[in-house]
Amino acid sequence: MNATFTLLEMRRITRDWAGMFFTAVLPAFFYLIFGSTVDARTADIGNGNVAMYVMISMAAYGAVTATTSIGGNAAVERVQGWGRQLGLTPLADSSYIAMKALVAMTVAAVPILLTYALGAVTGAEGSAGAWALSAALVLAGSSVFALYGLLIGTAFRSEAAVGAAAGTLVIFAFLGNLFIPLSGALLSFAKLTPLYGYAALARYPLTEGFLPDGSRDPLWLPVTNVVVWAMAFGVLATVLVRRGRERQ
């Protein structure tokens, strides 16, 4: 039964061609524009080059777009009555959550694999450890944004709201130092935003904390950022779920 639900969910997602484009193809396209240039391939940063720095950033953007959308849609399904239909099946709540988590991480792996593959053939350079560990951090860290999607989906109970939540990731990406290098006061503010810690932590095996402006983040900074935002998203989502149950 669990495998059947998982397969149906994957089929539903793959039929959403527009969603798959923005999730997988668009980040890879951004990498080709910004990361595969001669300047990016010849400029060094940390244990590799700027091309790999951009590659990790774009893979991270694609991964969080996937997990935000799937987490949000899961919440919308529950509040719109899908949960009552599942209650008529042998599928337990824990199995439903596990299925959604599996689907989210599977879809998040698509932009990571595609962007990393393009990086490998277009001059992205880094140590073997940096390649493996950064990919693992990109995938694992993207789960935090499933909580963000769950929060928005539970709060607004609308697929349009979930789409808007995915759209806000563009703003978070700019503030998170994913699209353009920040400096000065804007960089200081950016370090408080949700995507900054996730992206910085994913790039840490490559950069060892060094930024394009020459400054350096200690490891505790991105770790703290990720933990704080994960707790904030998780607590707020839990509160909203409980309120929804009380109303019912």
Side-chain angles (χ1 to χ4, degrees), residues 123-157:
E125 296 179 355
S127 65
W131 279 85
L133 188 54
S134 65
L137 289 169
V138 169
L139 182 60
S142 67
S143 61
V144 172
F145 289 83
L147 294 174
Y148 174 62
L150 177 63
L151 167 62
I152 299 299
T154 305
F156 296 99
R157 306 184 177 201

PDB file of all heavy atoms in Angstrom, residues 123-157:
ATOM      1  N   GLY A 123      33.572  22.235 -15.953  1.00  0.00           N
ATOM      2  CA  GLY A 123      34.726  22.852 -15.314  1.00  0.00           C
ATOM      3  C   GLY A 123      34.615  23.190 -13.852  1.00  0.00           C
ATOM      4  O   GLY A 123      35.508  23.854 -13.307  1.00  0.00           O
ATOM      5  N   ALA A 124      33.568  22.759 -13.172  1.00  0.00           N
ATOM      6  CA  ALA A 124      33.509  22.951 -11.724  1.00  0.00           C
ATOM      7  C   ALA A 124      34.577  22.076 -11.070  1.00  0.00           C
ATOM      8  O   ALA A 124      34.701  20.889 -11.393  1.00  0.00           O
ATOM      9  CB  ALA A 124      32.130  22.581 -11.195  1.00  0.00           C
ATOM     10  N   GLU A 125      35.334  22.657 -10.159  1.00  0.00           N
ATOM     11  CA  GLU A 125      36.446  21.935  -9.550  1.00  0.00           C
ATOM     12  C   GLU A 125      36.412  22.049  -8.033  1.00  0.00           C
ATOM     13  O   GLU A 125      36.120  23.101  -7.475  1.00  0.00           O
ATOM     14  CB  GLU A 125      37.778  22.488 -10.064  1.00  0.00           C
ATOM     15  CG  GLU A 125      37.998  22.287 -11.549  1.00  0.00           C
ATOM     16  CD  GLU A 125      39.317  22.869 -12.023  1.00  0.00           C
ATOM     17  OE1 GLU A 125      40.013  23.513 -11.201  1.00  0.00           O
ATOM     18  OE2 GLU A 125      39.652  22.697 -13.217  1.00  0.00           O
ATOM     19  N   GLY A 126      36.734  20.926  -7.390  1.00  0.00           N
ATOM     20  CA  GLY A 126      36.823  20.865  -5.940  1.00  0.00           C
ATOM     21  C   GLY A 126      37.334  19.507  -5.535  1.00  0.00           C
ATOM     22  O   GLY A 126      37.408  18.583  -6.358  1.00  0.00           O
ATOM     23  N   SER A 127      37.674  19.370  -4.274  1.00  0.00           N
ATOM     24  CA  SER A 127      38.149  18.080  -3.797  1.00  0.00           C
ATOM     25  C   SER A 127      37.017  17.063  -3.819  1.00  0.00           C
ATOM     26  O   SER A 127      35.832  17.424  -3.836  1.00  0.00           O
ATOM     27  CB  SER A 127      38.691  18.216  -2.365  1.00  0.00           C
ATOM     28  OG  SER A 127      37.639  18.557  -1.470  1.00  0.00           O
ATOM     29  N   ALA A 128      37.382  15.782  -3.829  1.00  0.00           N
ATOM     30  CA  ALA A 128      36.368  14.723  -3.839  1.00  0.00           C
ATOM     31  C   ALA A 128      35.461  14.821  -2.624  1.00  0.00           C
ATOM     32  O   ALA A 128      34.243  14.627  -2.710  1.00  0.00           O
ATOM     33  CB  ALA A 128      37.049  13.346  -3.886  1.00  0.00           C
ATOM     34  N   GLY A 129      36.061  15.153  -1.477  1.00  0.00           N
ATOM     35  CA  GLY A 129      35.275  15.310  -0.263  1.00  0.00           C
ATOM     36  C   GLY A 129      34.283  16.448  -0.369  1.00  0.00           C
ATOM     37  O   GLY A 129      33.152  16.360   0.113  1.00  0.00           O
ATOM     38  N   ALA A 130      34.711  17.547  -1.013  1.00  0.00           N
ATOM     39  CA  ALA A 130      33.824  18.694  -1.181  1.00  0.00           C
ATOM     40  C   ALA A 130      32.633  18.345  -2.064  1.00  0.00           C
ATOM     41  O   ALA A 130      31.495  18.746  -1.787  1.00  0.00           O
ATOM     42  CB  ALA A 130      34.594  19.875  -1.763  1.00  0.00           C
ATOM     43  N   TRP A 131      32.865  17.588  -3.120  1.00  0.00           N
ATOM     44  CA  TRP A 131      31.772  17.166  -4.002  1.00  0.00           C
ATOM     45  C   TRP A 131      30.754  16.320  -3.232  1.00  0.00           C
ATOM     46  O   TRP A 131      29.550  16.588  -3.274  1.00  0.00           O
ATOM     47  CB  TRP A 131      32.315  16.363  -5.178  1.00  0.00           C
ATOM     48  CG  TRP A 131      32.864  17.195  -6.289  1.00  0.00           C
ATOM     49  CD1 TRP A 131      34.125  17.707  -6.388  1.00  0.00           C
ATOM     50  CD2 TRP A 131      32.180  17.630  -7.474  1.00  0.00           C
ATOM     51  NE1 TRP A 131      34.267  18.418  -7.547  1.00  0.00           N
ATOM     52  CE2 TRP A 131      33.094  18.389  -8.242  1.00  0.00           C
ATOM     53  CE3 TRP A 131      30.892  17.429  -7.967  1.00  0.00           C
ATOM     54  CZ2 TRP A 131      32.745  18.968  -9.468  1.00  0.00           C
ATOM     55  CZ3 TRP A 131      30.543  18.002  -9.196  1.00  0.00           C
ATOM     56  CH2 TRP A 131      31.464  18.753  -9.925  1.00  0.00           C
ATOM     57  N   ALA A 132      31.235  15.297  -2.559  1.00  0.00           N
ATOM     58  CA  ALA A 132      30.328  14.360  -1.889  1.00  0.00           C
ATOM     59  C   ALA A 132      29.597  15.008  -0.716  1.00  0.00           C
ATOM     60  O   ALA A 132      28.373  14.879  -0.580  1.00  0.00           O
ATOM     61  CB  ALA A 132      31.113  13.138  -1.413  1.00  0.00           C
ATOM     62  N   LEU A 133      30.349  15.706   0.138  1.00  0.00           N
ATOM     63  CA  LEU A 133      29.744  16.263   1.342  1.00  0.00           C
ATOM     64  C   LEU A 133      28.807  17.415   1.015  1.00  0.00           C
ATOM     65  O   LEU A 133      27.738  17.544   1.632  1.00  0.00           O
ATOM     66  CB  LEU A 133      30.843  16.725   2.308  1.00  0.00           C
ATOM     67  CG  LEU A 133      30.375  17.171   3.702  1.00  0.00           C
ATOM     68  CD1 LEU A 133      29.534  16.083   4.357  1.00  0.00           C
ATOM     69  CD2 LEU A 133      31.579  17.520   4.577  1.00  0.00           C
ATOM     70  N   SER A 134      29.158  18.242   0.048  1.00  0.00           N
ATOM     71  CA  SER A 134      28.269  19.349  -0.306  1.00  0.00           C
ATOM     72  C   SER A 134      26.948  18.825  -0.858  1.00  0.00           C
ATOM     73  O   SER A 134      25.875  19.355  -0.532  1.00  0.00           O
ATOM     74  CB  SER A 134      28.944  20.285  -1.319  1.00  0.00           C
ATOM     75  OG  SER A 134      29.188  19.630  -2.554  1.00  0.00           O
ATOM     76  N   ALA A 135      27.001  17.793  -1.689  1.00  0.00           N
ATOM     77  CA  ALA A 135      25.762  17.219  -2.227  1.00  0.00           C
ATOM     78  C   ALA A 135      24.886  16.665  -1.110  1.00  0.00           C
ATOM     79  O   ALA A 135      23.658  16.849  -1.112  1.00  0.00           O
ATOM     80  CB  ALA A 135      26.092  16.128  -3.236  1.00  0.00           C
ATOM     81  N   ALA A 136      25.507  15.984  -0.149  1.00  0.00           N
ATOM     82  CA  ALA A 136      24.749  15.428   0.977  1.00  0.00           C
ATOM     83  C   ALA A 136      24.121  16.537   1.816  1.00  0.00           C
ATOM     84  O   ALA A 136      22.963  16.421   2.247  1.00  0.00           O
ATOM     85  CB  ALA A 136      25.674  14.570   1.844  1.00  0.00           C
ATOM     86  N   LEU A 137      24.850  17.624   2.028  1.00  0.00           N
ATOM     87  CA  LEU A 137      24.327  18.737   2.816  1.00  0.00           C
ATOM     88  C   LEU A 137      23.205  19.460   2.085  1.00  0.00           C
ATOM     89  O   LEU A 137      22.227  19.902   2.709  1.00  0.00           O
ATOM     90  CB  LEU A 137      25.457  19.714   3.159  1.00  0.00           C
ATOM     91  CG  LEU A 137      26.477  19.217   4.188  1.00  0.00           C
ATOM     92  CD1 LEU A 137      27.678  20.152   4.253  1.00  0.00           C
ATOM     93  CD2 LEU A 137      25.818  19.103   5.566  1.00  0.00           C
ATOM     94  N   VAL A 138      23.340  19.597   0.776  1.00  0.00           N
ATOM     95  CA  VAL A 138      22.277  20.224  -0.007  1.00  0.00           C
ATOM     96  C   VAL A 138      20.986  19.412   0.127  1.00  0.00           C
ATOM     97  O   VAL A 138      19.902  19.965   0.368  1.00  0.00           O
ATOM     98  CB  VAL A 138      22.675  20.347  -1.493  1.00  0.00           C
ATOM     99  CG1 VAL A 138      21.470  20.750  -2.342  1.00  0.00           C
ATOM    100  CG2 VAL A 138      23.783  21.370  -1.663  1.00  0.00           C
ATOM    101  N   LEU A 139      21.083  18.103  -0.002  1.00  0.00           N
ATOM    102  CA  LEU A 139      19.899  17.251   0.066  1.00  0.00           C
ATOM    103  C   LEU A 139      19.309  17.238   1.474  1.00  0.00           C
ATOM    104  O   LEU A 139      18.097  17.441   1.656  1.00  0.00           O
ATOM    105  CB  LEU A 139      20.243  15.832  -0.373  1.00  0.00           C
ATOM    106  CG  LEU A 139      19.079  14.832  -0.389  1.00  0.00           C
ATOM    107  CD1 LEU A 139      17.989  15.303  -1.349  1.00  0.00           C
ATOM    108  CD2 LEU A 139      19.570  13.439  -0.777  1.00  0.00           C
ATOM    109  N   ALA A 140      20.146  17.012   2.484  1.00  0.00           N
ATOM    110  CA  ALA A 140      19.643  16.925   3.856  1.00  0.00           C
ATOM    111  C   ALA A 140      19.074  18.261   4.321  1.00  0.00           C
ATOM    112  O   ALA A 140      18.006  18.317   4.947  1.00  0.00           O
ATOM    113  CB  ALA A 140      20.769  16.469   4.785  1.00  0.00           C
ATOM    114  N   GLY A 141      19.779  19.342   4.022  1.00  0.00           N
ATOM    115  CA  GLY A 141      19.323  20.650   4.481  1.00  0.00           C
ATOM    116  C   GLY A 141      18.032  21.109   3.844  1.00  0.00           C
ATOM    117  O   GLY A 141      17.279  21.897   4.434  1.00  0.00           O
ATOM    118  N   SER A 142      17.746  20.618   2.652  1.00  0.00           N
ATOM    119  CA  SER A 142      16.514  21.035   1.980  1.00  0.00           C
ATOM    120  C   SER A 142      15.267  20.589   2.738  1.00  0.00           C
ATOM    121  O   SER A 142      14.179  21.146   2.541  1.00  0.00           O
ATOM    122  CB  SER A 142      16.474  20.489   0.547  1.00  0.00           C
ATOM    123  OG  SER A 142      16.370  19.072   0.540  1.00  0.00           O
ATOM    124  N   SER A 143      15.404  19.602   3.620  1.00  0.00           N
ATOM    125  CA  SER A 143      14.251  19.130   4.394  1.00  0.00           C
ATOM    126  C   SER A 143      13.697  20.219   5.309  1.00  0.00           C
ATOM    127  O   SER A 143      12.509  20.205   5.644  1.00  0.00           O
ATOM    128  CB  SER A 143      14.644  17.900   5.219  1.00  0.00           C
ATOM    129  OG  SER A 143      15.686  18.216   6.139  1.00  0.00           O
ATOM    130  N   VAL A 144      14.538  21.170   5.704  1.00  0.00           N
ATOM    131  CA  VAL A 144      14.073  22.285   6.541  1.00  0.00           C
ATOM    132  C   VAL A 144      12.964  23.045   5.824  1.00  0.00           C
ATOM    133  O   VAL A 144      12.003  23.515   6.444  1.00  0.00           O
ATOM    134  CB  VAL A 144      15.239  23.226   6.880  1.00  0.00           C
ATOM    135  CG1 VAL A 144      14.745  24.489   7.571  1.00  0.00           C
ATOM    136  CG2 VAL A 144      16.266  22.505   7.752  1.00  0.00           C
ATOM    137  N   PHE A 145      13.073  23.143   4.504  1.00  0.00           N
ATOM    138  CA  PHE A 145      12.097  23.925   3.760  1.00  0.00           C
ATOM    139  C   PHE A 145      10.834  23.147   3.443  1.00  0.00           C
ATOM    140  O   PHE A 145       9.837  23.738   2.991  1.00  0.00           O
ATOM    141  CB  PHE A 145      12.758  24.530   2.523  1.00  0.00           C
ATOM    142  CG  PHE A 145      13.721  25.617   2.909  1.00  0.00           C
ATOM    143  CD1 PHE A 145      15.013  25.304   3.294  1.00  0.00           C
ATOM    144  CD2 PHE A 145      13.307  26.929   2.958  1.00  0.00           C
ATOM    145  CE1 PHE A 145      15.887  26.295   3.705  1.00  0.00           C
ATOM    146  CE2 PHE A 145      14.169  27.921   3.364  1.00  0.00           C
ATOM    147  CZ  PHE A 145      15.462  27.613   3.748  1.00  0.00           C
ATOM    148  N   ALA A 146      10.832  21.846   3.700  1.00  0.00           N
ATOM    149  CA  ALA A 146       9.571  21.110   3.703  1.00  0.00           C
ATOM    150  C   ALA A 146       8.714  21.610   4.866  1.00  0.00           C
ATOM    151  O   ALA A 146       7.486  21.712   4.755  1.00  0.00           O
ATOM    152  CB  ALA A 146       9.828  19.609   3.828  1.00  0.00           C
ATOM    153  N   LEU A 147       9.364  21.951   5.982  1.00  0.00           N
ATOM    154  CA  LEU A 147       8.647  22.531   7.124  1.00  0.00           C
ATOM    155  C   LEU A 147       8.085  23.904   6.771  1.00  0.00           C
ATOM    156  O   LEU A 147       6.996  24.270   7.185  1.00  0.00           O
ATOM    157  CB  LEU A 147       9.583  22.651   8.326  1.00  0.00           C
ATOM    158  CG  LEU A 147      10.091  21.352   8.947  1.00  0.00           C
ATOM    159  CD1 LEU A 147      11.121  21.645  10.029  1.00  0.00           C
ATOM    160  CD2 LEU A 147       8.933  20.547   9.526  1.00  0.00           C
ATOM    161  N   TYR A 148       8.863  24.663   6.007  1.00  0.00           N
ATOM    162  CA  TYR A 148       8.386  25.973   5.561  1.00  0.00           C
ATOM    163  C   TYR A 148       7.148  25.821   4.685  1.00  0.00           C
ATOM    164  O   TYR A 148       6.146  26.540   4.853  1.00  0.00           O
ATOM    165  CB  TYR A 148       9.499  26.687   4.795  1.00  0.00           C
ATOM    166  CG  TYR A 148       9.094  27.992   4.147  1.00  0.00           C
ATOM    167  CD1 TYR A 148       8.658  29.064   4.917  1.00  0.00           C
ATOM    168  CD2 TYR A 148       9.146  28.147   2.772  1.00  0.00           C
ATOM    169  CE1 TYR A 148       8.278  30.262   4.328  1.00  0.00           C
ATOM    170  CE2 TYR A 148       8.772  29.342   2.170  1.00  0.00           C
ATOM    171  CZ  TYR A 148       8.355  30.403   2.949  1.00  0.00           C
ATOM    172  OH  TYR A 148       7.990  31.584   2.363  1.00  0.00           O
ATOM    173  N   GLY A 149       7.184  24.883   3.743  1.00  0.00           N
ATOM    174  CA  GLY A 149       6.021  24.624   2.911  1.00  0.00           C
ATOM    175  C   GLY A 149       4.837  24.139   3.730  1.00  0.00           C
ATOM    176  O   GLY A 149       3.690  24.564   3.505  1.00  0.00           O
ATOM    177  N   LEU A 150       5.093  23.266   4.707  1.00  0.00           N
ATOM    178  CA  LEU A 150       4.037  22.767   5.586  1.00  0.00           C
ATOM    179  C   LEU A 150       3.398  23.920   6.359  1.00  0.00           C
ATOM    180  O   LEU A 150       2.173  23.987   6.502  1.00  0.00           O
ATOM    181  CB  LEU A 150       4.622  21.738   6.562  1.00  0.00           C
ATOM    182  CG  LEU A 150       3.669  21.162   7.601  1.00  0.00           C
ATOM    183  CD1 LEU A 150       2.559  20.384   6.925  1.00  0.00           C
ATOM    184  CD2 LEU A 150       4.428  20.262   8.579  1.00  0.00           C
ATOM    185  N   LEU A 151       4.228  24.845   6.818  1.00  0.00           N
ATOM    186  CA  LEU A 151       3.734  26.010   7.553  1.00  0.00           C
ATOM    187  C   LEU A 151       2.806  26.854   6.685  1.00  0.00           C
ATOM    188  O   LEU A 151       1.697  27.211   7.102  1.00  0.00           O
ATOM    189  CB  LEU A 151       4.933  26.846   8.019  1.00  0.00           C
ATOM    190  CG  LEU A 151       4.654  28.257   8.547  1.00  0.00           C
ATOM    191  CD1 LEU A 151       3.779  28.204   9.772  1.00  0.00           C
ATOM    192  CD2 LEU A 151       5.964  28.976   8.847  1.00  0.00           C
ATOM    193  N   ILE A 152       3.227  27.171   5.473  1.00  0.00           N
ATOM    194  CA  ILE A 152       2.415  28.009   4.590  1.00  0.00           C
ATOM    195  C   ILE A 152       1.143  27.280   4.170  1.00  0.00           C
ATOM    196  O   ILE A 152       0.048  27.863   4.149  1.00  0.00           O
ATOM    197  CB  ILE A 152       3.221  28.413   3.342  1.00  0.00           C
ATOM    198  CG1 ILE A 152       4.453  29.225   3.738  1.00  0.00           C
ATOM    199  CG2 ILE A 152       2.346  29.207   2.383  1.00  0.00           C
ATOM    200  CD1 ILE A 152       4.146  30.510   4.463  1.00  0.00           C
ATOM    201  N   GLY A 153       1.270  26.002   3.834  1.00  0.00           N
ATOM    202  CA  GLY A 153       0.101  25.233   3.421  1.00  0.00           C
ATOM    203  C   GLY A 153      -0.937  25.120   4.518  1.00  0.00           C
ATOM    204  O   GLY A 153      -2.143  25.192   4.265  1.00  0.00           O
ATOM    205  N   THR A 154      -0.489  24.950   5.759  1.00  0.00           N
ATOM    206  CA  THR A 154      -1.407  24.842   6.891  1.00  0.00           C
ATOM    207  C   THR A 154      -2.045  26.186   7.209  1.00  0.00           C
ATOM    208  O   THR A 154      -3.228  26.262   7.561  1.00  0.00           O
ATOM    209  CB  THR A 154      -0.659  24.315   8.129  1.00  0.00           C
ATOM    210  OG1 THR A 154      -0.020  23.083   7.810  1.00  0.00           O
ATOM    211  CG2 THR A 154      -1.617  24.096   9.285  1.00  0.00           C
ATOM    212  N   ALA A 155      -1.277  27.257   7.077  1.00  0.00           N
ATOM    213  CA  ALA A 155      -1.770  28.589   7.421  1.00  0.00           C
ATOM    214  C   ALA A 155      -2.820  29.084   6.424  1.00  0.00           C
ATOM    215  O   ALA A 155      -3.845  29.652   6.817  1.00  0.00           O
ATOM    216  CB  ALA A 155      -0.606  29.570   7.484  1.00  0.00           C
ATOM    217  N   PHE A 156      -2.598  28.864   5.123  1.00  0.00           N
ATOM    218  CA  PHE A 156      -3.460  29.452   4.107  1.00  0.00           C
ATOM    219  C   PHE A 156      -4.361  28.444   3.396  1.00  0.00           C
ATOM    220  O   PHE A 156      -5.296  28.842   2.700  1.00  0.00           O
ATOM    221  CB  PHE A 156      -2.605  30.197   3.075  1.00  0.00           C
ATOM    222  CG  PHE A 156      -1.858  31.360   3.657  1.00  0.00           C
ATOM    223  CD1 PHE A 156      -0.524  31.229   4.012  1.00  0.00           C
ATOM    224  CD2 PHE A 156      -2.492  32.570   3.878  1.00  0.00           C
ATOM    225  CE1 PHE A 156       0.177  32.298   4.557  1.00  0.00           C
ATOM    226  CE2 PHE A 156      -1.810  33.648   4.419  1.00  0.00           C
ATOM    227  CZ  PHE A 156      -0.465  33.518   4.761  1.00  0.00           C
ATOM    228  N   ARG A 157      -4.054  27.149   3.529  1.00  0.00           N
ATOM    229  CA  ARG A 157      -4.922  26.085   3.010  1.00  0.00           C
ATOM    230  C   ARG A 157      -5.205  26.269   1.518  1.00  0.00           C
ATOM    231  O   ARG A 157      -6.319  26.038   1.053  1.00  0.00           O
ATOM    232  CB  ARG A 157      -6.232  26.030   3.785  1.00  0.00           C
ATOM    233  CG  ARG A 157      -6.041  25.892   5.281  1.00  0.00           C
ATOM    234  CD  ARG A 157      -7.339  25.744   6.001  1.00  0.00           C
ATOM    235  NE  ARG A 157      -7.137  25.542   7.427  1.00  0.00           N
ATOM    236  CZ  ARG A 157      -8.025  24.998   8.247  1.00  0.00           C
ATOM    237  NH1 ARG A 157      -9.189  24.590   7.779  1.00  0.00           N
ATOM    238  NH2 ARG A 157      -7.759  24.846   9.526  1.00  0.00           N
TER     239      ARG A 157
END
